[in-house]
Each structure stands twice: as structure tokens, then as C-alpha cells.
Amino acid sequence: LNRETFDINQTVFRTGDYGDAAYVIEKGCVEVLVGADDAPKRVAMLTEGAMFGEVALLDRQPRTATVRTLLPTSLVRIDRAHVEELLVRADPVIQYLLRLMLERFRNSSGGVANAEIQAARAAAISQPGMDLHSAAVHTLSLAHDLSDGITHNQLALYYQPIILLHSNALVGFEALVRWEHPKLGLISPDEFIPLAEKTGLIHKVGEWVLQRAISDWKHLRGLCVSDTQHLPFLSVNLSAPELSGAGMAQTVQNHLAAQQMPPHELRIELTETVIVSSLAAVSHTINALRALGIGIALDDFGTGYAGLDYLQTLPFSSIKIDKAFVAQMHTAERSFQIVKSALELSRQLGLTTVAEGIEDLATAAALKEMGCTYGQGYYFAKPKPLQAVQDWAKT
Ligand code: C2E
Ligand code: CA
Ligand code: CA
Ligand code: CA
């Protein structure tokens, strides 16, 4: 801790000073003065435990008040560098809300009307601030709409066929959520899932997806071929916040029981990045789901940043090779090698492999040749609503 001690009647900082720290009074007493130097007005008297100077600390603006000691005083100093480190990691919406509150505070507290200071402030706030502003407003209104959208039935679940490469038979589906926004049209999950994760709405989205997928399964299951080696399955994507909450395994089990869906026909897809970001929090749930007999797939394989040790620590039953590698395996030697090693690794660990993003016959044929069991991609079929996927399977 940084301590600063002051005698009686000393100035801690002056109006207009550059504010690079906030203070907590450990012992003593200070007065807060605003107005011109020759006619200062006392607006507050603060004693032990109080904090001051935090506004300039957060918004990088000059001090709007002068603080003087009324007694010998000891202060604990909180440096900007430390707080900023925390702030830059904060969500843009939080940053923006904080900035708005500070601006409002400044405007209402009769801060100095010094033209120079005002100009400096305008420059500092408006430039980088505008982007932050429009981004935050967009995010906030979308988050609000999403919350509405969930209750007003705007979510839809699409199903994309998964194919057994050696026979081209249909063996399963991946459920992919869509948001039919009344004004903006179809919004991609790549846009609204991260938003839902940030705002906590993901729990409602995930609950809806699980419930819908599991109850639709009875209409999909019969479309799949099933032999003793390849049982039909339905894949559902779950994200970290959903898995870190307690009771998730129980929720899944309840949905399965309600629809009499055998646990081994459900497969949960998790992304590598998700696992890396919160391994401890999610591993309990993952183990519990696996213990129920539910399959666990490592999604987007190859795009994460961690080593491979989690393949050893978590009970995966399959991996999905990311479409980034699959799409380029014919044109980029590196992608081809990554796909090849992923298949090799998967085989050695006794896992099944799904290659996603197959867009042409050549890619499907190559993957089959290389021993990849399952394939998924526009070449076979795009994700479709339940009715459309039923029609597709019958033709
Ligand atoms: P993902 O799990 O990696 O899903 C595969 C994505 O690739 C899907 O995008 C799918 O439509 C797309 N895709 C499939 N075949 C092809 C192909 O041949 N070519 C190309 N270019 N793309 C193909 P989508 O449906 O937009 O989903 C994006 C991501 O959103 C998903 O990536 C997944 O991470 C997330 N997501 C989707 N539904 C859910 C959900 O219900 N819950 C959660 N938590 N996340 C979801
Ligand atoms: Ca997936
Ligand atoms: Ca994927
Ligand atoms: Ca993905």
C-alpha cells in the first residue's frame, strides 16, 4: 500500500490538477473545496474511511475540486495504473456505463467551467468515446431485444445433417440456434451467443435450445440409419457459463427423462476456447454429463490456444475438426497436415471424428479416404428447420 501523510492545512490536490490517483482517508480529516481560488466554497468534509479523487482517476479528466487537510492526515493512495488495468479488461458496456455516470456526475457537480479544461475533456471523451458509444448502444438494445425475443418465441432451432462418410448415410444432426429478429431479420448465433454469454441471457437461450432439441428428437431419430456400430445422435452446443452453473447435469437429465431420450443419443459440443477459459468451473459438469452416458465432443478442434492436455483430463468421446482447416485442406498444405494429425490423434485416443464445413465432393472423398468417420457441411446439407430437414431426408 502507498501511504501519504499530510500536516494540518496542506493541499492534497488542486482544481485543474491532473488526477492520477484516488485516496482513502486512513486517519485524519479533509475538506473538499470548489469554486475560484479566492472564494472557495466547502462542499464536503471527509473523515476516516472516506474515499475521494476517484472521479478524475477513472475518466482521466482534471480535478474538479481542491482537497485540503483539516487535521494531520494519513492517506492511502490508489494509483490509476492499477485501476486501469482492471478497467481495460472490463466489458465495453460496463466501460461505457461508467463513462456516462462520470460525465453526468461531472456535469451536475458544478465542475470548473474553465474553457481549456472543457475543451480537453471534449477531446478526450468524444473521439474514442463515440465508437464506444455506438457499440454500447447497439449491444444494449440488442441485449434488450434478445431478452424479449426469448419470451416472444423468436428463437428457432435448425438442424444440420451429419453423414457417415463411408456410406453417405445420415446418422445424426447438430442443432444450431437462430434468432428471427422482427426488424433485423435472421441474426447469426456468432453475433448473439457472445452477447447472451455476457449478459447472462445464455442460461435462458441454452435452456430453450436443450428443451426444444430434446423434444424434437423423436421426429429426427427415425430419419437416421442405425446399425450396431453407428447409433443415431443429436449434437447440442453448450457454452461455458451454462456449464459452470451447478445443476446443469440434472437439468439435462430431466429433459431427457421427460422425452424418454436415451442419454447416449445426446452429444454435447464444447469449444476448445471455452474449456481453456474456465476448466475448473466446467469440468465438474462435463464429468457428470459423461457419467450419464451423454457424448462429449470437442468442437472447433485446432482453433484453441491451449495444449492438448485437456484431451487427457476431460472425458471427450469425439472431436470435431474445425471448418477452417477442412475448407482449406486442398489448397493449403498446413491445413491438410492439421486435419491429418487430428484424425491420427483421434484414432489413437479412441475417439470418433466429425469433419465440419465440407463444401464439395473432393473434400468429402479425401476425408473418407483418410479415415474420418463423420462429415458435416453444405455439400451434404445446410442447417434447416425441422420440417425442411424432414423433407430433405425423405428425398
Ligand atoms: P459451430 O458449433 O462450429 O457450428 C458450425 C457452424 O458452421 C454453423 O454456423 C454452421 O451453420 C456452419 N457450417 C456448417 N457447414 C458449413 C459449411 O459447409 N460451410 C460453412 N462455411 N459453414 C458451415 P452457425 O449455425 O452460424 O453457428 C455459429 C456458431 O454459433 C456455432 O459454431 C456455435 O459455436 C454457436 N452456436 C450455434 N447454436 C448454438 C447454441 O444453441 N448454443 C450455443 N451455446 N452456441 C451455439
Ligand atoms: Ca458445434
Ligand atoms: Ca464447430
Ligand atoms: Ca465455431
Side-chain angles (χ1 to χ4, degrees), residues 299-300 322 356:
D299 204 352
D300 296 355
D322 192 69
E356 64 176 29

CSV table of all heavy atoms in Angstrom, one decimal, residues 299-300 322 356, ligand 3:
chain,number,residue,atom,x,y,z
A,299,ASP,N,-15.4,-29.3,-29.9
A,299,ASP,CA,-15.7,-28.6,-31.1
A,299,ASP,C,-14.6,-27.7,-31.6
A,299,ASP,O,-13.7,-27.4,-30.8
A,299,ASP,CB,-17.0,-27.7,-30.8
A,299,ASP,CG,-17.8,-27.4,-32.0
A,299,ASP,OD1,-17.3,-27.7,-33.1
A,299,ASP,OD2,-18.9,-26.8,-31.8
A,300,ASP,N,-14.6,-27.3,-32.8
A,300,ASP,CA,-13.7,-26.4,-33.4
A,300,ASP,C,-12.2,-26.8,-33.1
A,300,ASP,O,-11.3,-26.0,-32.8
A,300,ASP,CB,-13.9,-25.0,-32.8
A,300,ASP,CG,-15.2,-24.4,-33.2
A,300,ASP,OD1,-15.9,-25.0,-34.0
A,300,ASP,OD2,-15.6,-23.3,-32.7
A,322,ASP,N,-12.3,-28.3,-37.1
A,322,ASP,CA,-12.9,-27.0,-37.5
A,322,ASP,C,-12.9,-26.8,-39.0
A,322,ASP,O,-12.0,-27.3,-39.7
A,322,ASP,CB,-12.1,-25.9,-36.8
A,322,ASP,CG,-12.8,-24.6,-37.0
A,322,ASP,OD1,-13.9,-24.5,-36.3
A,322,ASP,OD2,-12.4,-23.7,-37.7
A,356,GLU,N,-16.2,-30.8,-40.0
A,356,GLU,CA,-17.3,-29.9,-40.4
A,356,GLU,C,-16.9,-29.0,-41.5
A,356,GLU,O,-15.7,-28.8,-41.8
A,356,GLU,CB,-17.7,-29.1,-39.1
A,356,GLU,CG,-16.6,-28.2,-38.6
A,356,GLU,CD,-17.1,-27.4,-37.4
A,356,GLU,OE1,-18.0,-27.8,-36.6
A,356,GLU,OE2,-16.5,-26.3,-37.2
B,3,CA,CA,-17.5,-26.3,-35.0
